[in-house]
Amino acid sequence: TWKAGDVKWSPATGMHTSEVVSDAPVTIVEIEVKKPGDPAKKITTAMDPLKVFPQVYHVEFENSQVRVVRVKFPPHSGAPMHEHQLNRVVVYLTDQNTRMTGADGKVDVAVHKAGEASWGGATKHQEENLMDGVFEALMVEFKN
């Protein structure tokens, strides 16, 4: 039994069949990690978002292959400059309208709909939620 926004890990087990038994439609984002984790891929920066702004970034799950972080910005709030060292997939649980200012001063606006996913590489930036509502996402960082 899962609830909307839950994070689950299933180790590789070979062929299987899944069945949705709910009466209502469901959306599942499944990320299949095909490579083992690389022990050299560690988060070493003092600018790790979990250190810089733990009020917004919270580890949901971590193992040798991934770190899954829940990001939850209140309306019209932001995070100071921080660094993402690992490649990542972001899954949007709510709509997103966020201003991101890079370490070089370049400003971008990221807009996504709930249920979308995006890919990101290493970066340094600060963020600001431009919406009147909460912005929430799951960030899956890859250690390979």
Side-chain angles (χ1 to χ4, degrees):
T1 303
W2 299 348
K3 295 181 295 183
D6 276 358
V7 174
K8 302 290 182 188
W9 176 262
S10 298
T13 58
M15 296 292 289
H16 65 275
T17 302
S18 298
E19 180 181 1
V20 175
V21 296
S22 169
D23 291 336
V26 298
T27 300
I28 298 172
V29 177
E30 184 173 355
I31 300 170
E32 186 174 343
V33 182
K34 296 194 177 241
K35 295 180 183 178
D38 178 352
K41 297 270 183 154
K42 295 182 180 177
I43 298 165
T44 58
T45 179
M47 294 178 69
D48 179 16
L50 281 95
K51 293 176 185 171
V52 172
F53 208 48
Q55 304 91 319
V56 168
Y57 297 90
H58 170 76
V59 173
E60 288 284 318
F61 176 83
E62 185 168 12
N63 66 17
S64 65
Q65 292 178 293
V66 297
R67 178 172 81 163
V68 179
V69 176
R70 186 174 300 268
V71 181
K72 195 169 185 178
F73 280 98
H76 300 286
S77 70
M81 189 65 67
H82 58 276
E83 180 177 13
H84 301 279
Q85 287 183 294
L86 304 175
N87 289 332
R88 66 200 182 284
V89 168
V90 179
V91 179
Y92 302 91
L93 302 178
T94 65
D95 290 349
Q96 177 199 34
N97 185 2
T98 304
R99 179 181 303 124
M100 297 186 195
T101 305
D104 61 359
K106 183 181 175 199
V107 176
D108 287 312
V109 174
V111 177
H112 290 93
K113 293 290 185 189
E116 291 181 351
S118 68
W119 174 261
T123 190
K124 289 181 186 176
H125 62 202
Q126 61 187 30
E127 297 173 87
E128 180 185 357
N129 178 8
L130 300 175
M131 300 187 310
D132 292 332
V134 172
F135 163 60
E136 187 171 2
L138 291 169
M139 180 173 60
V140 181
E141 299 174 309
F142 297 97
K143 299 178 182 180
N144 57 21

Tab-separated table of all heavy atoms in Angstrom, residues 65-92:
chain	number	residue	atom	x	y	z
A	65	GLN	N	23.742	3.450	-4.252
A	65	GLN	CA	23.484	3.869	-5.634
A	65	GLN	C	22.847	5.246	-5.763
A	65	GLN	O	23.091	5.948	-6.746
A	65	GLN	CB	22.573	2.848	-6.329
A	65	GLN	CG	23.256	1.508	-6.563
A	65	GLN	CD	22.303	0.516	-7.197
A	65	GLN	OE1	21.341	0.098	-6.566
A	65	GLN	NE2	22.575	0.170	-8.432
A	66	VAL	N	22.000	5.622	-4.798
A	66	VAL	CA	21.257	6.882	-4.905
A	66	VAL	C	21.097	7.558	-3.553
A	66	VAL	O	21.205	6.919	-2.506
A	66	VAL	CB	19.835	6.667	-5.496
A	66	VAL	CG1	19.879	6.135	-6.911
A	66	VAL	CG2	18.993	5.784	-4.594
A	67	ARG	N	20.842	8.860	-3.618
A	67	ARG	CA	20.331	9.602	-2.472
A	67	ARG	C	19.067	10.287	-2.975
A	67	ARG	O	19.084	10.997	-3.977
A	67	ARG	CB	21.340	10.649	-1.989
A	67	ARG	CG	20.808	11.487	-0.819
A	67	ARG	CD	21.863	12.383	-0.203
A	67	ARG	NE	22.050	13.609	-0.964
A	67	ARG	CZ	22.660	14.702	-0.495
A	67	ARG	NH1	23.163	14.708	0.734
A	67	ARG	NH2	22.795	15.768	-1.260
A	68	VAL	N	17.947	10.040	-2.287
A	68	VAL	CA	16.662	10.636	-2.662
A	68	VAL	C	16.356	11.731	-1.647
A	68	VAL	O	16.286	11.466	-0.445
A	68	VAL	CB	15.534	9.583	-2.693
A	68	VAL	CG1	14.211	10.240	-3.067
A	68	VAL	CG2	15.881	8.455	-3.658
A	69	VAL	N	16.170	12.936	-2.156
A	69	VAL	CA	15.958	14.111	-1.306
A	69	VAL	C	14.594	14.713	-1.620
A	69	VAL	O	14.267	14.949	-2.785
A	69	VAL	CB	17.067	15.165	-1.548
A	69	VAL	CG1	16.806	16.430	-0.743
A	69	VAL	CG2	18.441	14.583	-1.237
A	70	ARG	N	13.806	14.961	-0.579
A	70	ARG	CA	12.535	15.683	-0.739
A	70	ARG	C	12.835	17.166	-0.599
A	70	ARG	O	13.497	17.594	0.352
A	70	ARG	CB	11.508	15.241	0.299
A	70	ARG	CG	10.131	15.865	0.062
A	70	ARG	CD	9.088	15.306	1.005
A	70	ARG	NE	8.922	13.880	0.854
A	70	ARG	CZ	8.038	13.287	0.052
A	70	ARG	NH1	7.240	14.016	-0.679
A	70	ARG	NH2	7.966	11.971	0.005
A	71	VAL	N	12.334	17.950	-1.548
A	71	VAL	CA	12.509	19.396	-1.566
A	71	VAL	C	11.127	20.007	-1.370
A	71	VAL	O	10.191	19.664	-2.095
A	71	VAL	CB	13.096	19.850	-2.920
A	71	VAL	CG1	13.307	21.350	-2.942
A	71	VAL	CG2	14.370	19.097	-3.248
A	72	LYS	N	10.995	20.882	-0.380
A	72	LYS	CA	9.680	21.471	-0.102
A	72	LYS	C	9.854	22.937	0.270
A	72	LYS	O	10.225	23.266	1.392
A	72	LYS	CB	8.990	20.697	1.018
A	72	LYS	CG	7.527	20.988	1.144
A	72	LYS	CD	6.868	19.993	2.095
A	72	LYS	CE	5.373	20.198	2.148
A	72	LYS	NZ	4.730	19.208	3.024
A	73	PHE	N	9.577	23.813	-0.725
A	73	PHE	CA	9.696	25.252	-0.523
A	73	PHE	C	8.338	25.849	-0.171
A	73	PHE	O	7.376	25.682	-0.921
A	73	PHE	CB	10.146	25.947	-1.819
A	73	PHE	CG	11.607	25.860	-2.099
A	73	PHE	CD1	12.098	24.903	-2.967
A	73	PHE	CD2	12.479	26.764	-1.530
A	73	PHE	CE1	13.445	24.838	-3.248
A	73	PHE	CE2	13.830	26.711	-1.811
A	73	PHE	CZ	14.314	25.741	-2.670
A	74	PRO	N	8.248	26.596	0.923
A	74	PRO	CA	7.026	27.361	1.186
A	74	PRO	C	6.825	28.417	0.085
A	74	PRO	O	7.757	28.742	-0.657
A	74	PRO	CB	7.305	28.035	2.534
A	74	PRO	CG	8.392	27.215	3.155
A	74	PRO	CD	9.217	26.710	2.004
A	75	PRO	N	5.619	28.982	-0.009
A	75	PRO	CA	5.374	30.024	-1.012
A	75	PRO	C	6.351	31.185	-0.867
A	75	PRO	O	6.690	31.584	0.246
A	75	PRO	CB	3.946	30.490	-0.699
A	75	PRO	CG	3.333	29.380	0.088
A	75	PRO	CD	4.454	28.697	0.812
A	76	HIS	N	6.800	31.689	-1.999
A	76	HIS	CA	7.651	32.882	-2.072
A	76	HIS	C	8.866	32.809	-1.143
A	76	HIS	O	9.258	33.813	-0.542
A	76	HIS	CB	6.829	34.147	-1.784
A	76	HIS	CG	5.707	34.328	-2.750
A	76	HIS	ND1	5.902	34.741	-4.046
A	76	HIS	CD2	4.372	34.104	-2.613
A	76	HIS	CE1	4.741	34.774	-4.657
A	76	HIS	NE2	3.791	34.395	-3.825
A	77	SER	N	9.443	31.630	-1.031
A	77	SER	CA	10.658	31.486	-0.223
A	77	SER	C	11.779	31.013	-1.136
A	77	SER	O	11.557	30.631	-2.281
A	77	SER	CB	10.436	30.485	0.914
A	77	SER	OG	10.315	29.171	0.386
A	78	GLY	N	12.971	31.020	-0.611
A	78	GLY	CA	14.101	30.620	-1.425
A	78	GLY	C	15.172	29.927	-0.627
A	78	GLY	O	15.108	29.862	0.600
A	79	ALA	N	16.141	29.399	-1.347
A	79	ALA	CA	17.293	28.751	-0.732
A	79	ALA	C	18.540	29.530	-1.134
A	79	ALA	O	18.666	29.955	-2.278
A	79	ALA	CB	17.412	27.303	-1.189
A	80	PRO	N	19.466	29.715	-0.202
A	80	PRO	CA	20.706	30.411	-0.531
A	80	PRO	C	21.559	29.588	-1.500
A	80	PRO	O	21.223	28.444	-1.820
A	80	PRO	CB	21.390	30.565	0.825
A	80	PRO	CG	20.816	29.484	1.679
A	80	PRO	CD	19.433	29.235	1.176
A	81	MET	N	22.652	30.159	-1.927
A	81	MET	CA	23.564	29.476	-2.850
A	81	MET	C	23.932	28.109	-2.283
A	81	MET	O	24.267	27.985	-1.103
A	81	MET	CB	24.823	30.326	-3.066
A	81	MET	CG	25.742	29.827	-4.146
A	81	MET	SD	25.068	29.859	-5.811
A	81	MET	CE	24.898	31.616	-6.123
A	82	HIS	N	23.829	27.076	-3.142
A	82	HIS	CA	24.177	25.714	-2.748
A	82	HIS	C	24.674	24.969	-3.987
A	82	HIS	O	24.592	25.487	-5.097
A	82	HIS	CB	22.981	24.998	-2.100
A	82	HIS	CG	21.774	24.925	-2.982
A	82	HIS	ND1	20.874	25.959	-3.077
A	82	HIS	CD2	21.327	23.958	-3.805
A	82	HIS	CE1	19.915	25.627	-3.923
A	82	HIS	NE2	20.164	24.413	-4.388
A	83	GLU	N	25.197	23.766	-3.760
A	83	GLU	CA	25.823	23.021	-4.852
A	83	GLU	C	25.275	21.595	-4.931
A	83	GLU	O	25.181	20.897	-3.927
A	83	GLU	CB	27.337	22.962	-4.628
A	83	GLU	CG	28.085	22.211	-5.699
A	83	GLU	CD	29.593	22.226	-5.483
A	83	GLU	OE1	30.054	22.612	-4.384
A	83	GLU	OE2	30.312	21.839	-6.417
A	84	HIS	N	24.941	21.207	-6.158
A	84	HIS	CA	24.587	19.815	-6.457
A	84	HIS	C	25.803	19.207	-7.144
A	84	HIS	O	26.174	19.645	-8.232
A	84	HIS	CB	23.370	19.750	-7.378
A	84	HIS	CG	22.152	20.405	-6.805
A	84	HIS	ND1	21.343	19.780	-5.890
A	84	HIS	CD2	21.613	21.637	-7.022
A	84	HIS	CE1	20.338	20.592	-5.574
A	84	HIS	NE2	20.485	21.725	-6.229
A	85	GLN	N	26.433	18.211	-6.528
A	85	GLN	CA	27.643	17.611	-7.088
A	85	GLN	C	27.357	16.443	-8.026
A	85	GLN	O	28.188	16.104	-8.856
A	85	GLN	CB	28.555	17.111	-5.968
A	85	GLN	CG	29.242	18.215	-5.207
A	85	GLN	CD	30.190	17.659	-4.171
A	85	GLN	OE1	29.758	17.029	-3.220
A	85	GLN	NE2	31.474	17.892	-4.366
A	86	LEU	N	26.207	15.798	-7.867
A	86	LEU	CA	25.907	14.574	-8.606
A	86	LEU	C	24.830	14.817	-9.662
A	86	LEU	O	23.991	15.710	-9.524
A	86	LEU	CB	25.425	13.483	-7.641
A	86	LEU	CG	26.363	13.128	-6.488
A	86	LEU	CD1	25.700	12.118	-5.559
A	86	LEU	CD2	27.686	12.591	-7.021
A	87	ASN	N	24.840	13.989	-10.714
A	87	ASN	CA	23.740	13.997	-11.671
A	87	ASN	C	22.468	13.593	-10.939
A	87	ASN	O	22.515	12.813	-9.984
A	87	ASN	CB	24.014	13.014	-12.809
A	87	ASN	CG	25.126	13.486	-13.723
A	87	ASN	OD1	25.359	14.686	-13.866
A	87	ASN	ND2	25.811	12.554	-14.345
A	88	ARG	N	21.328	14.119	-11.426
A	88	ARG	CA	20.083	13.862	-10.708
A	88	ARG	C	18.882	13.920	-11.641
A	88	ARG	O	18.913	14.583	-12.671
A	88	ARG	CB	19.912	14.863	-9.564
A	88	ARG	CG	19.730	16.285	-10.024
A	88	ARG	CD	20.039	17.304	-8.928
A	88	ARG	NE	19.817	18.659	-9.371
A	88	ARG	CZ	20.617	19.337	-10.177
A	88	ARG	NH1	21.701	18.790	-10.641
A	88	ARG	NH2	20.330	20.576	-10.534
A	89	VAL	N	17.836	13.229	-11.210
A	89	VAL	CA	16.511	13.346	-11.811
A	89	VAL	C	15.628	14.012	-10.776
A	89	VAL	O	15.650	13.638	-9.602
A	89	VAL	CB	15.938	11.964	-12.197
A	89	VAL	CG1	14.456	12.058	-12.545
A	89	VAL	CG2	16.714	11.366	-13.355
A	90	VAL	N	14.864	15.006	-11.202
A	90	VAL	CA	13.917	15.674	-10.319
A	90	VAL	C	12.513	15.298	-10.781
A	90	VAL	O	12.182	15.435	-11.958
A	90	VAL	CB	14.092	17.207	-10.340
A	90	VAL	CG1	13.077	17.884	-9.432
A	90	VAL	CG2	15.513	17.592	-9.935
A	91	VAL	N	11.700	14.805	-9.842
A	91	VAL	CA	10.301	14.463	-10.104
A	91	VAL	C	9.448	15.496	-9.371
A	91	VAL	O	9.566	15.647	-8.152
A	91	VAL	CB	9.976	13.034	-9.612
A	91	VAL	CG1	8.510	12.712	-9.861
A	91	VAL	CG2	10.890	12.011	-10.282
A	92	TYR	N	8.599	16.193	-10.113
A	92	TYR	CA	7.816	17.300	-9.567
A	92	TYR	C	6.502	16.780	-8.994
A	92	TYR	O	5.678	16.236	-9.721
A	92	TYR	CB	7.593	18.363	-10.645
A	92	TYR	CG	8.920	18.855	-11.157
A	92	TYR	CD1	9.529	18.255	-12.255
A	92	TYR	CD2	9.601	19.859	-10.486
A	92	TYR	CE1	10.785	18.672	-12.684
A	92	TYR	CE2	10.855	20.277	-10.900
A	92	TYR	CZ	11.439	19.672	-12.012
A	92	TYR	OH	12.680	20.072	-12.412
